[in-house]
Amino acid sequence: MRYLLFSLALFLFFGTFTVSAQAIYEDERYVPETDPQVLEKLAKWQDFKFGLLMHWGPYSQWGIVESWSICAEDEGWCRRPHEDYIAYKKEYENLKTTFNPVKFNPEKWAQAAHNAGMKYVVFTTKHHDGFCMFDSKYTDYKITSVECPFHTNSRANVTKEIFSAFRDKGMWIGAYFSKPDWKNENYWWPNFATPDRNVNYDPEAYPERWEAFVQFTHNQIMELMTDYGSVDILWLDGGWVAKKSPEFINKWYHDALKNNTSGFIKAQIINQDIRMDELVDKAREVQPGLIVVDRAVYGKNQNYLTPENRVPDHILPYPWESCIISGGGWSYTPDAVYMSGRDAIHLLTDIVAKGGNLLYNVAPGPDGEWQQGAYDLLEEIGAWIKVNGDAIYETKPIKPYRQGKFAYTQKKNGNVYAIYMPDKGETQLPSQMVVESCKPASNATVTLLGSNVKLNWKPQGNGFVVNIPASLRRNPPCQHAWALKISEVVK
Ligand code: GLC
């Protein structure tokens, strides 16, 4: 019923406001799942709140923007530090022959993530460049190729090793997989130049070639679904590889050329039907309840939405996850500057109050290690989570979600949390907190997480005022944000 109402609301919303819809992010439209096993898994996943994303591949040796410099689009973040595209691409592909991350130790990463309170991992098994960080039998462009020095390492199939190390910590496993593959000859056919991120021929003009690519993609994903133990999330990137109607394509060109006097288009829109429904059915046969995230592709195969490097400014009434960079870029950046512990904790709190999860990206280096800054940051988050986890995990949003310095969450048992996020430089607990929009029941107890002291509170307006004793202020249970726990509120 809830979903029915929600669909109706969505219909009314988009049906009525199609003209002003530009203000709404396309990716914020959601089609509810119907498979009960998936729904069950999604509900659990929504309770996790915090996960780890890792971008890692031969590109990490150069500290560049993952695969993007071999994409010829005229965008600042894709440009090559090299005049000659052809020569550059060759050098890029040769990175495979020097990739040797001998310090690879996934147990150390899993331990750090677990201590930080992360509950799942999403790892780049293959990024757009097509290099497989797993032992695919459908390509030799992979970490286990004899041309890659790391192939002699007993842990060369890093995807398998990462998945089992994180699974051993009780964490859920997510496979990031890029649908576009810039190495595959049936995606970037060497017969033509490659002007942009898309397939470089018309799949409708060369259906057999396209079909070979569809088979290749299905085969690789089924390898991951079959040979790598239990996988919980299939996180598919490259939203431009999707079925598009002729109407969609026409409208896209019309809009793209409207205010464009030269007629130059940086990236086209092409119908690239990868037969996702069929693939998802096959994948769920071997991984029942698998959560599928066909990113930015409107429809039923996007079980949750993934705003990228941003946090929506309001609560979103469906499953969602912000993927956010903790330091540097998505992939390894020398001398990366990491987010402060305070900012990370406020980020997580803000997202959770709006009903989302935080998928926090850490980029392993070419040697197979994380930078110390990543470990330090995760440790600081972990110290906070140890005290405040009750206010984060297994919570649901509650009005007013965010207000002033407070973020609100609630538990099934009726406990409500008001998490106070101090300003920069405000390092001490205030002597008094005024909570404006949450009324404790008359017999409710109010405590600060990390302490058993029952705090003195009294109603005020639509909320309450609570005094923080000097002893607690001198000895705060944690830093960066403090959570009031209210045993019961007036509905
Ligand atoms: C962006 C980047 C891509 C990266 C992704 C992660 O889309 O272009 O390289 O994998 O973000 O969310």
Side-chain angles (χ1 to χ4, degrees):
M1 184 63 187
R2 214 176 55 175
Y3 284 117
L4 197 70
L5 281 178
F6 179 57
S7 314
L8 187 68
L10 262 192
F11 174 76
L12 288 175
F13 190 64
F14 285 103
T16 322
F17 293 109
T18 37
V19 187
S20 58
Q22 284 98 327
I24 300 151
Y25 283 98
E26 184 69 6
D27 62 0
E28 285 179 7
R29 297 185 299 153
Y30 185 68
V31 175
E33 177 58 59
T34 51
D35 178 333
Q37 278 174 296
V38 181
L39 286 171
E40 197 186 315
K41 258 186 116 84
L42 257 182
K44 277 194 194 148
W45 173 85
Q46 283 191 282
D47 282 344
F48 289 164
K49 310 300 181 190
F50 193 25
L52 173 73
L53 177 60
M54 287 193 286
H55 279 71
W56 194 35
Y59 46 70
S60 308
Q61 295 171 87
W62 282 354
I64 50 177
V65 183
E66 323 68 85
S67 308
W68 280 101
S69 57
I70 57 168
C71 170
E73 285 168 36
D74 187 8
E75 301 286 357
W77 40 272
C78 302
R79 294 307 301 263
R80 289 151 294 290
H82 204 304
E83 281 293 306
D84 181 339
Y85 174 83
I86 309 266
Y88 177 85
K89 194 170 163 213
K90 224 181 160 88
E91 284 172 31
Y92 181 97
E93 285 176 358
N94 270 337
L95 283 169
K96 159 186 168 181
T97 62
T98 49
F99 190 43
N100 198 14
V102 290
K103 291 192 183 153
F104 178 57
N105 180 0
E107 285 74 23
K108 188 173 172 196
W109 296 344
Q111 184 68 54
H114 178 74
N115 291 348
M118 290 165 159
K119 304 289 185 195
Y120 60 105
V121 65
V122 177
F123 174 63
T124 50
T125 63
K126 177 177 97 168
H127 203 258
H128 313 331
D129 62 8
F131 188 88
C132 289
M133 296 291 274
F134 65 105
D135 187 24
S136 174
K137 62 169 179 274
Y138 300 99
T139 180
D140 194 45
Y141 195 48
K142 60 180 175 184
I143 192 161
T144 48
S145 157
V146 290
E147 285 168 24
C148 177
F150 198 60
H151 85 277
T152 55
N153 192 293
S154 61
R155 313 192 77 181
N157 191 352
V158 295
T159 294
K160 193 165 247 171
E161 302 291 334
I162 290 171
F163 285 0
S164 65
F166 280 78
R167 205 181 280 120
D168 285 352
K169 288 276 165 228
M171 293 168 72
W172 274 21
I173 301 304
Y176 169 114
F177 182 94
S178 165
K179 292 178 293 177
D181 184 316
W182 296 339
K183 179 72 175 157
N184 189 283
E185 59 182 20
N186 296 318
Y187 195 75
W188 275 6
W189 184 4
N191 194 230
F192 293 122
T194 53
D196 65 23
R197 68 187 65 190
N198 288 289
V199 58
N200 70 342
Y201 61 92
D202 181 355
E204 275 163 36
Y206 301 96
E208 280 163 23
R209 191 165 273 272
W210 179 253
E211 179 57 27
F213 183 67
V214 172
Q215 288 308 329
F216 167 78
T217 305
H218 285 212
N219 285 340
Q220 283 199 325
I221 289 179
M222 289 314 290
E223 281 183 311
L224 288 166
M225 295 299 108
T226 312
D227 303 335
Y228 290 79
S230 142
V231 176
D232 305 285
I233 304 164
L234 177 60
W235 212 89
L236 298 166
D237 204 12
W240 61 92
V241 178
K243 187 173 176 176
K244 297 187 192 76
S245 66
E247 293 74 29
F248 180 97
I249 295 175
N250 285 341
K251 181 172 182 318
W252 188 88
Y253 276 105
H254 175 264
D255 292 350
L257 291 169
K258 213 165 34 193
N259 299 314
N260 174 344
T261 47
S262 76
F264 185 81
I265 289 178
K266 289 182 184 178
Q268 312 180 65
I269 289 286
I270 301 176
N271 185 23
Q272 303 172 56
D273 183 2
I274 199 83
R275 295 212 302 277
M276 191 50 73
D277 290 355
E278 180 192 314
L279 175 57
V280 169
D281 284 348
K282 285 191 289 192
R284 286 193 180 134
E285 256 168 48
V286 283
Q287 300 283 351
L290 177 75
I291 295 175
V292 177
V293 189
D294 193 13
R295 293 190 75 201
V297 179
Y298 174 67
K300 72 179 182 66
N301 299 317
Q302 191 175 198
N303 289 152
Y304 65 73
L305 303 191
T306 57
E308 186 172 295
N309 252 334
R310 68 184 173 85
V311 180
D313 62 5
H314 54 279
I315 177 206
L316 302 181
Y318 39 67
W320 65 277
E321 164 199 87
S322 276
C323 46
I324 306 235
I325 293 173
S326 69
W330 292 112
S331 59
Y332 175 76
T333 317
D335 308 319
V337 177
Y338 286 85
M339 209 179 263
S340 69
R342 171 186 178 276
D343 288 352
I345 288 157
H346 288 202
L347 175 72
L348 174 65
T349 304
D350 181 40
I351 288 175
V352 171
K354 292 168 183 163
N357 284 15
L358 169 60
L359 184 66
Y360 209 32
N361 186 79
V362 173
D367 56 353
E369 245 300 23
W370 289 357
Q371 286 157 324
Q372 189 54 42
Y375 289 110
D376 295 345
L377 172 56
L378 261 53
E379 203 176 304
E380 210 173 336
I381 301 171
W384 186 84
I385 281 276
K386 252 181 213 99
V387 175
N388 297 286
D390 263 359
I392 298 290
Y393 303 119
E394 293 170 43
T395 61
K396 293 266 177 290
I398 179 171
K399 271 186 184 158
Y401 318 118
R402 287 295 322 272
Q403 191 174 59
K405 293 182 186 178
F406 285 97
Y408 299 87
T409 63
Q410 67 174 320
K411 275 254 166 44
K412 272 197 203 92
N413 66 5
N415 291 168
V416 169
Y417 301 87
I419 308 169
Y420 179 85
M421 294 187 278
D423 286 334
K424 258 205 177 92
E426 189 186 344
T427 50
Q428 235 203 341
L429 267 161
S431 54
Q432 192 176 66
M433 289 186 194
V434 180
V435 182
E436 278 172 26
S437 314
C438 167
K439 246 188 175 156
S442 56
N443 60 345
T445 53
V446 177
T447 50
L448 194 74
L449 285 188
S451 142
N452 294 325
V453 179
K454 284 190 184 163
L455 303 176
N456 277 328
W457 66 273
K458 59 172 194 296
Q460 178 175 298
N462 286 326
F464 66 102
V465 188
V466 62
N467 293 318
I468 312 292
S471 57
L472 254 183
R473 299 184 67 218
R474 271 195 306 271
N475 256 323
C478 60
Q479 285 184 319
H480 304 313
W482 299 287
L484 293 171
K485 173 177 169 178
I486 304 130
S487 63
E488 201 188 330
V489 297
V490 179
K491 290 269 152 56

